[in-house]
Amino acid sequence: MKLSRKNGLRASAIGALVVSGALVLSACGSDDNSEPTKGGGDKTSAAASNIKCDGAKGQLLAAGSSAQKGAMDLWVKNFQAACEGVEVNYQAIGSGGGITKFNQGQVAFAGSDSALKDEEVAESKKICKGGTGVNLPMVGGPIAIGYKLDGVDNLVLDASTLAKIFDNKITKWNDPAIAKLNPGAKLPDSNIQAFHRSDESGTTQNLGKYLSTAAPADWKHDPKTKSWPAQGGQAANGSSGVATAVKDAEGSIGYFELSYATANKISTVSLNTGASAPVAATSENASKAIAAAKVKGTGNDVTLSLDYATKAEGAYPLILVTYEIACDKGNKAETLPTLKAFLNYTVSDEGQKVLADAGYAPLPAEIAAKVRAIVPTLS
């Protein structure tokens, strides 16, 4: 049998996360940091027709999460088409790199798959004069476990087995723990090639949170670190680097956002969560887990708490919510109008509509409403 597996990779978000009328779009699976297309495109397009520019002008620099690059590419294209003369330049250098650039005052906002740590919040106050950096959730989705194993479709793993694979404690594909989860599968007696991120990454951090929550006996590493904490395995830069490595190497396994699996036609693992059936990595299934997120931030900070150990039927627990990090006060006057206009668009109904068919999960309605109320107050 072939490696590709199509069950649900382009599913749309439902339940509390449904946003009606999603546009049909192609997933982007690249960390390409090339210059974006200039503004002034087709202003009559459906995607750009309701975007409010509100004084946006010039260039807006941003950097960070590669997980949200596919979404960011769509948003930038539509925003620049609506707002002539505006250029939004987003560099997908990883969450850690984006936060560093933000706290050095090099970018107007940072994309991150994890909220600012206390020490990063304290550091942001040097840049946000009279204010502080705040976490504004913008998009969610599943972290897919991609693999390449000839003759094996619909691979099932659980948190414990994943932890042991990524911790170099399960090294063969026909290990009894994997065989038990995949009765009848023809698992080869070959080495597992496990790939992880070489750069600081919120995706790595969210994987660590999942493993330490769902398999605490098997994953003893710090769940807060954005750097890969385990020994062994092979490293690649960015989600696109890990996806390319998995696509090219027989017997490989790695982690990246669903959009990268979709774009590269990489088979993905279904997770045995303890529910009645294994749960596939789809936007729909991730949405069921993200819908239960709780706001733990205060004031203008909308940091979310996710349940990585959920056993709810059809809920895929290996998820992330990616944030835009901006100053609540103290933004640069020359970029503030563009920053607000752009974030107003990304969190709007129009901005959220474009996400589902690109492998992302739109925000739950109540969380989106909270962010929409905060963005206009940025100063």
Side-chain angles (χ1 to χ4, degrees):
M1 292 189 293
K2 299 297 183 184
L3 291 173
S4 61
R5 193 191 60 184
K6 300 179 180 178
N7 54 327
L9 286 179
R10 297 182 62 83
S12 299
I14 64 170
L17 294 173
V18 165
V19 181
S20 61
L23 299 176
V24 179
L25 296 154
S26 298
C28 175
S30 171
D31 276 351
D32 179 17
N33 295 330
S34 58
E35 290 292 320
T37 305
K38 304 292 182 183
D42 179 12
K43 300 183 184 66
T44 64
S45 69
S49 60
N50 294 319
I51 295 175
K52 296 180 180 179
C53 299
D54 292 332
K57 60 182 179 180
Q59 186 181 65
L60 186 69
L61 299 179
S65 163
S66 62
Q68 64 171 270
K69 187 179 186 299
M72 191 62 66
D73 285 348
L74 298 173
W75 287 331
V76 167
K77 178 182 177 181
N78 293 339
F79 188 74
Q80 290 180 164
C83 302
E84 181 152 8
V86 172
E87 180 184 348
V88 180
N89 189 332
Y90 182 84
Q91 292 184 312
I93 60 174
S95 299
I99 290 172
T100 296
K101 280 184 173 288
F102 176 75
N103 278 339
Q104 291 176 345
Q106 297 180 32
V107 294
F109 71 92
S112 178
D113 309 330
S114 56
L116 292 171
K117 299 177 183 178
D118 291 343
E119 58 269 27
E120 292 168 338
V121 172
E123 191 177 352
S124 74
K125 293 179 180 180
K126 300 174 184 176
I127 298 299
C128 306
K129 302 299 184 183
T132 187
V134 292
N135 303 286
L136 303 175
M138 203 60 67
V139 60
I143 300 174
I145 303 296
Y147 70 97
K148 183 175 183 179
L149 197 58
D150 192 21
V152 179
D153 290 330
N154 303 320
L155 184 69
V156 175
L157 297 173
D158 58 15
S160 174
T161 307
L162 271 177
K164 292 174 183 176
I165 289 172
F166 283 120
D167 210 16
N168 204 37
K169 295 186 178 156
I170 290 179
T171 60
K172 293 282 189 178
W173 277 111
N174 64 348
D175 186 276
I178 300 177
K180 184 177 179 181
L181 291 164
N182 297 274
K186 295 181 180 179
L187 298 168
D189 182 20
S190 58
N191 292 331
I192 297 173
Q193 297 191 64
F195 288 91
H196 58 264
R197 291 278 290 269
S198 61
D199 53 323
E200 285 200 342
S201 165
T203 310
T204 294
Q205 186 184 58
N206 279 278
L207 174 64
K209 288 179 179 178
Y210 164 70
L211 294 175
S212 64
T213 301
D218 301 304
W219 192 257
K220 301 291 189 179
H221 305 288
D222 179 7
K224 295 181 181 180
T225 181
K226 294 185 182 75
S227 300
W228 184 250
Q231 299 296 315
Q234 301 177 62
N237 186 62
S239 290
S240 67
V242 176
T244 298
V246 171
K247 182 179 180 181
D248 291 345
E250 175 61 24
S252 60
I253 191 168
Y255 60 94
F256 31 79
E257 295 69 42
L258 180 60
S259 59
Y260 292 94
T262 304
N264 290 283
K265 298 181 180 179
I266 296 172
S267 297
T268 59
V269 167
S270 292
L271 294 178
N272 183 332
T273 65
S276 62
V279 186
T282 69
S283 295
E284 175 184 344
N285 293 341
S287 296
K288 293 176 182 177
I290 295 172
K294 305 296 183 184
V295 176
K296 67 176 183 179
T298 58
N300 285 338
D301 186 87
V302 195
T303 300
L304 301 179
S305 177
L306 303 174
D307 182 6
Y308 297 97
T310 181
K311 296 180 181 179
E313 295 296 325
Y316 184 83
L318 182 44
I319 51 177
L320 61 77
V321 170
T322 188
Y323 300 87
E324 313 309 343
I325 295 169
C327 295
D328 60 352
K329 298 178 181 178
N331 289 282
K332 294 179 181 178
E334 61 268 27
T335 57
L336 179 60
T338 308
L339 172 67
K340 292 170 69 173
F342 182 67
L343 296 184
N344 273 325
Y345 161 60
T346 62
V347 78
S348 69
D349 282 338
E350 290 76 16
Q352 294 289 302
K353 276 179 187 178
V354 304
L355 298 175
D357 284 333
Y360 295 96
L363 294 175
E366 67 225 45
I367 294 173
K370 187 173 182 65
V371 177
R372 285 173 195 151
I374 292 170
V375 172
T377 71
L378 301 180
S379 63

